[in-house]
Amino acid sequence: MHTTLRGKVALVAGATRGTGRAIATALGEAGATVYCTGRTTRRHRSEMNRPETIEETAELVTRAGGRGVAVQVDHLESEQVRALVERIDREQGRLDLLVNDIWGGDPLAAWDTPLWKHPLEDGLRLLRLAIDTHVITSHHALPLLTRNPGGLVVEVTDGTAEYNAANYRVSFFYDLAKVSVNRLAFSQAHELGPYGCAAVSLTPGWLRSEMMLEHYGVTEETWRDALVREPHFVISESPAYTGRAVVALAADPDRARWSGQSLSSGRLAQVYGFTDVDGSRPDAWRYIVEVQDRGKPADATGYR
């Protein structure tokens, strides 16, 4: 990366895997100190029951050139989040970037199942994981972030506000969760503006996360083999693409121009000029609208 965030302090809440891990690593590459939080450590697994850990993420940040700090936090537990922010204040005296990437709801979503048939407790917990965690984290972190002008909040979701407003997202609870996170950014932007700080929501496209690669039985190196099973996966992107989007935003001295907006990795790549790991610039949400949702044959020509 040609940008630098050396001297900046970031909290990536939900950094265990996927987009959160990639964002943390990209921030490390740009020189930032990154607090990497999540529930899964080398000694304890969350209900996700995945092997990735926050310690691994912190090590990736440090190897990339920054300083990674792993802190086990359940972001539904207010006191744990309060203690986390107090620690950041004690150790750094500032917070420049908050990335709310907490999720963990995939195992709870019953796809293509109407509200009245969906297990209610699973749906309500999905909402708590997707929304309450973000609210609790911002509540405790924003007093520190607003201490200095220029702070940025990035709310990570799935789908732009425009797309989610017009399209049902395969499950009542998932749909509500992802629409809500876009609105969290919009509301925080209004409240942060008088303090010289900004908030945006950011969505990756069709993500080649660890779970998605396993689902298709491929690796990051062999991901195109998945096109036999799902041709539209041709527009997919690595998690690093969204990480680079966050770095571009955080390093932009005029980042406040985006405040309150719903952004995508593909859109920001066109503005800032960064690429995915393969040198391409996939524009997934334009592809989804213009190709996939219209039932056209899978063809990413002109979209990456």
Side-chain angles (χ1 to χ4, degrees):
M1 304 291 287
H2 297 293
T3 53
T4 179
L5 295 175
R6 195 160 302 282
K8 300 297 185 180
V9 179
L11 165 57
V12 180
T16 315
R17 62 185 67 84
T19 307
R21 171 173 283 190
I23 291 171
T25 303
L27 291 169
E29 186 178 6
T33 294
V34 186
Y35 286 78
C36 310
T37 68
R39 294 175 296 170
T40 298
T41 69
R42 288 179 173 136
R43 294 186 176 183
H44 170 80
R45 283 195 183 190
S46 73
E47 66 201 69
M48 293 292 290
N49 196 29
R50 297 278 312 173
E52 301 87 9
T53 70
I54 55 171
E55 293 97 337
E56 291 170 351
T57 302
E59 289 164 2
L60 288 170
V61 171
T62 301
R63 285 203 297 271
R67 178 179 173 235
V69 182
V71 187
Q72 184 181 29
V73 177
D74 182 340
H75 285 265
L76 281 174
E77 298 296 330
S78 180
E79 289 307 310
Q80 290 186 30
V81 180
R82 184 196 306 275
L84 165 69
V85 175
E86 288 175 350
R87 174 179 172 180
I88 296 172
D89 189 9
R90 186 171 61 251
E91 295 178 353
Q92 309 297 332
R94 64 184 300 127
L95 180 63
D96 302 286
L97 173 64
L98 167 62
V99 179
N100 273 328
D101 184 56
I102 313 140
W103 171 225
D106 284 322
L108 299 167
W111 307 112
D112 295 308
T113 302
L115 166 62
W116 60 95
K117 294 183 179 180
H118 196 293
L120 183 58
E121 291 305 313
D122 286 354
L124 293 176
R125 179 157 178 81
L126 183 153
L127 292 177
R128 290 212 70 209
L129 288 168
I131 302 171
D132 291 12
T133 54
H134 291 223
V135 174
I136 292 167
T137 305
S138 286
H139 174 81
H140 290 295
L142 293 187
L144 181 55
L145 184 128
T146 55
R147 193 178 294 171
N148 300 299
L152 176 66
V153 176
V154 178
E155 292 281 352
V156 180
T157 188
D158 176 22
T160 63
E162 180 182 17
Y163 187 86
N164 288 348
N167 292 273
Y168 167 67
R169 299 306 310 278
V170 203
S171 159
F172 171 89
F173 292 102
Y174 188 88
D175 186 288
L176 180 57
K178 298 310 178 181
V179 166
S180 298
V181 175
N182 279 320
R183 192 68 186 186
L184 292 181
F186 177 83
S187 298
Q188 287 176 88
H190 279 267
E191 297 181 355
L192 288 168
Y195 298 88
C197 299
V200 301
S201 64
L202 177 63
T203 177
W206 200 334
L207 193 68
R208 295 198 299 271
S209 64
E210 298 92 343
M211 290 179 64
M212 187 60 72
L213 292 173
E214 287 185 12
H215 175 71
Y216 287 123
V218 295
T219 66
E220 177 58 31
E221 291 69 35
T222 65
W223 69 267
R224 288 185 176 274
D225 292 345
L227 303 188
V228 175
R229 180 173 169 187
E230 175 45 77
H232 288 300
F233 200 55
V234 70
I235 196 58
S236 68
E237 63 195 53
S238 79
Y241 197 44
T242 305
R244 293 172 179 181
V246 171
V247 169
L249 281 170
D252 183 354
D254 192 26
R255 54 190 167 277
R257 64 184 158 138
W258 299 107
S259 195
Q261 295 190 47
S262 166
L263 307 171
S264 69
S265 50
R267 178 184 175 191
L268 291 177
Q270 302 304 317
V271 174
Y272 289 108
F274 62 85
T275 67
D276 203 350
V277 292
D278 62 359
S280 70
R281 292 193 180 98
D283 191 355
W285 292 101
R286 188 167 63 89
Y287 174 93
I288 289 168
V289 170
E290 297 177 4
V291 179
Q292 184 174 327
D293 287 356
R294 292 184 182 178
K296 294 181 179 180
D299 183 358
T301 303
Y303 295 93
R304 58 179 315 140

